[in-house]
């Protein structure tokens, strides 16, 4: 539960202990309510499923179907009740137990804004940083901040463009001595190692660090609010914002952007409600207390080889767990606006990103025995794994259901069981129960979307930001249709990723594609061709043997059969721009762009002026930290131990 860690900085308010006790009580009853709702709804649906399956005998296959259904229903129930809680919270305003961004605070702390980059588009990187830094300067609080671009780029031509972009940014922003650029020769540890090296050299000079991704943009007001929140809550180690997706032009990107922007706030408000100070960290657009991170968030190098051994890919969940293990709170603050990110432009790039995340999350299974982790931290790690393992479970559930139906159709019903029978064993119909179960499952999946639509319709400016009521509902319907068609292909992608990881096939560390990239038919066939073949064979088999069951599988089979064409069509920018002209998939940041996004577009279009970087200060003097020097004990996932330095010792 949230508390004040023994290692927290001086100046803790006298009522901190009282506030921590209040949070512990609040967290306890909220989680009891939340998990009770999840458990009761899962048990109710499972009972109904058992009633349907046992009507004509309970075979081994049906027992497996029952177990898989129970796990899958519990998984979707967690999202449903989280969204339900978030809907109520947003209906009545902000959560009174959460952090309050509106509280007046005089800013005194120093914050380093850091952006780790790796073979990214330098023009986009420095345009985003210019938009962010201009916005920060407009607040009048920029003297409390420095900006670091931390490059792990391996390509010399991109590195040269980065250096030119940094020099031009310093010139335009008069940022010499405030805006720094460092390129590592050895990129050990990937992004986490990049940040670790920054902390070794300069972490002691800053109270906080604000971590950005290469596609991040943040408003100055949001940056200042985060720093004030961290300063005013000395028991807090990480504060995570909810980034709004922006700047998508392909049809896929625009649909994804619309859905995330519309449905994300209610879901994250629900997460914040029951997680409170045991929230999670998503790796970017978040502020971190540097001293706590240095002392407690060193990552282990797992024994064995990749993919399940070696360096941890998905480091953010682990860092949040280690921060909480040391007694520091981790908060999500969904009320803060002005935090932006960009999304993959097409289905294939989206799946490639998930491949890396899948391997990283499966590594978390090895960290579950770590002593001292908070129960909610373990739950975060488990839920990260289930986010990918749920796909092969769903595929197995569909496969076993198909096998069961085909077997019953081929063999028919046994009216007389072995041995003496006084009366025939008449078949029992459970159609009403089956329809009820289907209806409940659909409601669990659709109601969270309805909640967000209600909240948006009730808010005039927000509703107009989505194009108005009619366009909003049309976009929501089309987004639902697209999600249904995409889900079967993603199920197979994720199943392949999980199986490949467990079989020892590791991913390579490449830069994430961020441009508006259309896909050719050849590319789509290469990735989705087997999906189409499976869908056609599956559909033909069921339609021929058990045509009544075919209609239950239509959404899955249709999604597989059209996957190639769906991938190609939705990757097109002209289709995306046509949807925009029609008023579909609009978002508030698109209808009325904030100054930061307008400046980003302007900066991207401007040529980079030639500036001699030799006269600029690349990095400030290093300042070794006593905390870092004390953190040289090797970190082990099975015993307590601090140290960000020890994570990367050879």
């Amino acid at each position: 539960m949230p508390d004040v860690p023994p290692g927290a900085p001086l100046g803790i308010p006298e009522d901190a202990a009282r506030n921590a006790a209040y949070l512990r009580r609040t967290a306890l009853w909220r989680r009891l309510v939340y998990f009770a709702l999840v458990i009761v709804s899962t048990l109710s649906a499972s009972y109904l499923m058992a009633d349907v399956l046992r009507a004509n005998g309970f075979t081994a296959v049906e027992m497996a179907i029952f177990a898989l259904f129970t796990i899958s229903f519990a998984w979707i129930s967690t999202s449903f009740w989280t969204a339900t809680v978030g809907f109520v919270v947003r209906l009545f305003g902000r959560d009174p137990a959460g952090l309050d961004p509106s509280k007046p605070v005089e800013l005194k702390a120093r914050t380093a804004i850091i952006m780790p980059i790796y073979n990214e588009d330098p023009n986009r990187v420095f345009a985003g940083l210019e938009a962010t830094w201009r916005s920060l300067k407009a607040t009048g609080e920029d003297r409390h901040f420095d900006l670091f671009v931390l490059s792990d780029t391996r390509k010399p031509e991109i590195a040269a463009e980065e250096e030119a972009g940094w020099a031009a940014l310093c010139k335009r922003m008069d940022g010499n001595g405030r805006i720094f650029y460092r390129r590592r020769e050895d990129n050990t540890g990937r992004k986490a190692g990049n940040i670790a090296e920054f902390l070794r050299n300069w972490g002691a000079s800053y109270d906080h660090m604000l971590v950005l991704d290469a596609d991040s943009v943040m408003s100055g007001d949001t940056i200042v609010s985060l720093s004030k929140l961290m300063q005013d809550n000395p028991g807090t180690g990480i504060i995570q914002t909810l980034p709004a997706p922006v700047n998508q032009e392909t049809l896929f990107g625009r649909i994804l952007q619309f859905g995330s922007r519309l449905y994300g706030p209610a879901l994250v408000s629900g997460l914040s409600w029951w997680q409170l100070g045991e929230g999670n960290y998503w790796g970017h657009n978040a502020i971190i207390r540097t001293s706590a991170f240095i002392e407690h968030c060193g990552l282990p190098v797992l024994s064995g080889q990749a993919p399940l051994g070696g360096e941890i890919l998905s480091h953010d969940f682990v860092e949040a767990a280690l921060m909480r293990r040391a007694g520091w709170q981790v908060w999500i603050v969904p009320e803060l606006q002005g935090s932006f990110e960009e999304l993959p432009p097409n289905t294939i790039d989206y799946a490639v990103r998930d491949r890396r995340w899948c391997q990283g999350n499966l590594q978390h299974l090895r960290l579950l025995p770590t002593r001292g982790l908070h129960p909610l931290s373990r739950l975060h790690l488990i839920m990260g794994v289930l986010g990918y393992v749920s796909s092969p479970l769903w595929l197995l559930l569909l496969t076993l259901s198909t096998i069961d139906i085909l077997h019953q159709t081929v063999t028919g019903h046994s009216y007389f069981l072995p041995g003496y029978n006084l009366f025939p064993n008449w078949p029992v119909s459970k159609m009403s129960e089956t329809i009820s179960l289907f209806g409940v499952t659909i409601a669990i999946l659709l109601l969270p979307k309805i909640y967000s639509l209600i909240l948006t319709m009730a808010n005039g400016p927000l509703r107009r930001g989505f194009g108005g009521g009619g366009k909003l509902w049309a976009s929501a319907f089309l987004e639902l249709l697209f999600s249904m068609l995409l889900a079967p292909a993603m199920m197979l992608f994720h199943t392949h990723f999980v199986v490949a990881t467990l079989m020892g096939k590791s991913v390579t560390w490449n830069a994430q594609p961020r441009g508006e990239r259309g896909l050719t038919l050849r590319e789509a066939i290469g990735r989705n061709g087997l999906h189409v073949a499976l869908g056609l064979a599956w559909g033909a088999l069921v339609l021929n043997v058990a045509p009544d069951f075919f209609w239950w599988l239509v959404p899955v089979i249709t999604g597989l059969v059209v996957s190639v064409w769906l991938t190609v069509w939705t990757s097109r920018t002209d289709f995306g721009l046509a949807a925009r002209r029609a008023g579909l998939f609009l978002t508030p940041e698109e209808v009325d762009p904030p100054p930061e996004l307008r400046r980003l577009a302007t900066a991207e279009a401007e040529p980079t002026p030639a500036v001699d970087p030799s006269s600029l200060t690349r990095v400030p003097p290093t300042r070794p930290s006593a905390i870092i020097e004390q953190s040289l004990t090797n970190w082990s996932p099975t015993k307590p131990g601090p140290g960000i330095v020890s994570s990367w010792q050879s």
Side-chain angles (χ1 to χ4, degrees):
M1 300 294 175
D3 52 17
V4 179
L10 298 176
I12 296 176
E14 292 181 0
D15 62 347
R18 184 165 58 252
N19 183 52
Y22 163 74
L23 285 175
R24 281 195 292 271
R25 292 193 302 271
T26 303
L28 179 61
W29 75 258
R30 287 184 179 187
R31 290 164 194 171
L32 286 174
V33 170
Y34 173 76
F35 287 110
L37 291 170
V38 171
I39 292 170
V40 169
S41 57
T42 301
L43 290 177
S44 300
S46 298
Y47 176 81
L48 197 56
M49 173 59 91
D51 191 41
V52 171
L53 292 175
R54 70 187 178 194
N56 294 290
F58 217 174
T59 65
V61 170
E62 289 171 337
M63 290 180 184
I65 291 172
F66 172 75
L68 291 168
F69 172 83
T70 300
I71 296 171
S72 300
F73 197 91
W75 174 242
I76 63 174
S77 291
T78 60
S79 295
F80 169 74
W81 288 113
T82 296
T84 301
V85 168
F87 170 69
V88 175
V89 169
R90 288 202 164 247
L91 201 60
F92 292 98
R94 62 173 297 274
D95 181 1
L99 300 184
D100 184 4
S102 64
K103 183 179 177 182
V105 175
E106 180 185 356
L107 184 58
K108 298 179 181 178
R110 283 180 53 75
T111 299
I113 303 171
I114 66 171
M115 179 182 280
I117 57 176
Y118 175 75
N119 291 342
E120 305 286 352
D121 175 11
N123 185 52
R124 170 61 183 84
V125 166
F126 288 98
L129 289 174
E130 179 179 340
T132 299
W133 192 255
R134 281 188 185 275
S135 182
L136 181 59
K137 286 176 71 71
T139 67
E141 300 277 14
D142 58 292
R143 65 187 181 279
H144 299 288
F145 299 86
D146 288 336
L147 174 61
F148 288 79
V149 181
L150 308 175
S151 174
D152 262 350
T153 292
R154 299 295 92 194
K155 298 180 179 179
E157 64 277 14
I158 296 179
E161 291 182 49
E162 290 174 358
E163 188 168 280
W166 161 69
L169 179 62
C170 288
K171 182 71 172 178
R172 284 197 297 264
M173 296 288 96
D174 190 23
N176 188 31
R178 301 287 307 285
I179 301 175
F180 305 105
Y181 171 81
R182 186 273 287 131
R183 182 181 175 219
R184 286 201 299 169
E185 293 299 324
D186 177 13
N187 58 351
T188 302
R190 302 183 176 91
K191 178 181 175 180
N194 197 352
I195 294 174
E197 184 170 306
F198 161 79
L199 290 171
R200 285 192 195 95
N201 293 326
W202 302 289
S205 299
Y206 299 94
D207 302 290
H208 318 135
M209 64 175 178
L210 180 69
V211 183
L212 301 178
D213 253 3
D215 57 12
S216 298
V217 174
M218 292 189 77
S219 75
D221 289 335
T222 300
I223 292 172
V224 171
S225 293
L226 284 170
S227 191
K228 287 182 177 180
L229 276 176
M230 189 65 84
Q231 176 184 300
D232 193 50
N233 293 273
T236 296
I238 301 176
I239 302 175
Q240 175 69 60
T241 66
L242 171 61
V246 295
N247 293 339
Q248 299 304 297
E249 293 187 351
T250 65
L251 184 58
F252 175 88
R254 291 184 54 75
I255 295 173
L256 204 65
Q257 174 178 280
F258 169 82
S260 299
R261 181 62 178 87
L262 178 61
Y263 306 128
L267 188 64
V268 174
S269 290
L271 287 174
S272 179
W273 182 86
W274 64 266
Q275 292 177 3
L276 290 172
E278 279 85 35
N280 215 343
Y281 169 45
W282 304 330
H284 60 93
N285 291 48
I287 193 167
I288 299 172
R289 191 175 302 278
T290 53
S291 59
F293 195 88
I294 289 169
E295 191 169 359
H296 301 291
C297 294
L299 295 176
V301 177
L302 300 176
S303 61
Q305 299 297 316
L308 295 180
E311 296 169 344
I312 293 177
L313 295 186
S314 297
H315 55 89
D316 38 17
F317 281 30
V318 181
E319 289 158 349
L322 296 176
M323 185 74 79
R324 190 66 201 97
R325 181 177 76 161
W328 296 88
Q329 298 168 8
V330 179
W331 289 91
I332 302 173
V333 184
E335 295 86 4
L336 277 177
Q337 304 288 316
S339 177
F340 310 106
E341 67 173 347
E342 295 177 358
L343 300 172
N346 56 65
T347 304
I348 302 304
D349 290 341
Y350 183 66
V352 167
R353 185 185 69 170
D354 271 8
R355 173 67 179 91
R356 185 175 67 251
W357 288 359
C358 175
Q359 178 175 321
N361 284 14
L362 288 176
Q363 286 180 314
H364 295 168
L365 289 171
R366 297 190 57 191
L367 297 174
L368 289 177
T370 303
R371 290 208 302 254
L373 292 185
H374 190 279
L376 240 61
S377 296
R378 298 185 198 276
L379 181 63
H380 291 320
L381 298 177
I382 292 171
M383 292 180 75
V385 174
L386 282 174
Y388 294 95
V389 173
S390 60
S391 288
L393 293 181
W394 181 30
L395 178 61
L396 187 57
L397 175 62
L398 292 172
T399 302
L400 291 178
S401 299
T402 302
I403 291 172
D404 189 45
I405 292 296
L406 294 179
H407 178 264
Q408 291 182 28
T409 303
V410 171
T411 60
H413 181 75
S414 299
Y415 286 89
F416 294 95
L417 301 176
Y420 175 76
N421 293 267
L422 184 60
F423 299 103
N425 176 38
W426 299 109
V428 178
S429 174
K430 292 286 184 176
M431 183 56 66
S432 60
E433 289 85 349
T434 302
I435 293 174
S436 297
L437 187 60
F438 178 75
V440 168
T441 304
I442 294 298
I444 287 284
L445 294 171
L446 291 185
L447 275 175
K449 296 180 181 287
I450 301 297
Y451 294 151
S452 294
L453 286 166
I454 292 172
L455 290 171
T456 305
M457 290 295 294
N459 185 322
L462 187 60
R463 182 178 66 250
R464 290 188 290 274
F466 282 99
K471 300 295 186 183
L472 171 63
W473 281 95
S475 299
F477 172 76
L478 292 173
E479 188 276 337
L480 175 63
L481 179 62
F482 172 75
S483 298
M484 290 172 57
L485 292 174
L486 180 64
M490 294 308 300
M491 171 186 69
L492 293 185
F493 275 132
H494 287 175
T495 300
H496 170 70
F497 299 159
V498 171
V499 172
T501 301
L502 295 178
M503 291 181 65
K505 187 175 181 180
S506 184
V507 297
T508 56
W509 186 38
N510 296 315
Q512 178 178 310
R514 302 185 192 273
E516 301 297 328
R517 186 171 78 90
L519 297 171
T520 65
L521 184 62
R522 177 182 294 233
E523 287 179 290
I525 291 174
R527 295 300 185 101
N528 294 112
L530 287 177
H531 301 173
V532 176
L534 176 62
L536 290 172
W538 194 352
L541 176 64
V542 174
L543 187 60
N544 183 61
V545 178
D548 290 342
F549 182 61
F550 173 81
W551 302 108
W552 293 92
L553 289 177
V554 161
V556 176
I557 292 172
T558 302
L560 295 176
V561 171
V562 304
S563 59
V564 166
W565 296 272
L566 192 72
T567 294
V568 173
W569 293 337
T570 59
S571 74
R572 293 179 55 171
T573 300
D574 55 344
F575 283 5
L577 296 179
R580 178 176 180 174
R581 289 193 296 271
L584 297 174
F585 311 119
L586 297 176
T587 62
E589 291 74 24
E590 189 174 37
V591 171
D592 184 19
E596 297 77 24
L597 297 184
R598 292 198 296 268
R599 183 59 212 173
L600 169 64
T602 302
E604 279 193 283
E606 291 177 345
T608 301
V611 178
D612 181 10
S614 62
S615 61
L616 302 175
T617 303
R618 285 182 182 275
V619 293
T622 58
R623 184 182 167 190
S625 166
I627 295 177
I628 295 178
E629 295 304 319
Q630 294 167 6
S631 299
L632 294 175
T633 304
N634 285 331
W635 196 97
S636 165
T638 56
K639 68 179 182 180
I644 196 160
V645 174
S646 63
S647 307
W648 311 114
Q649 287 181 325
S650 58

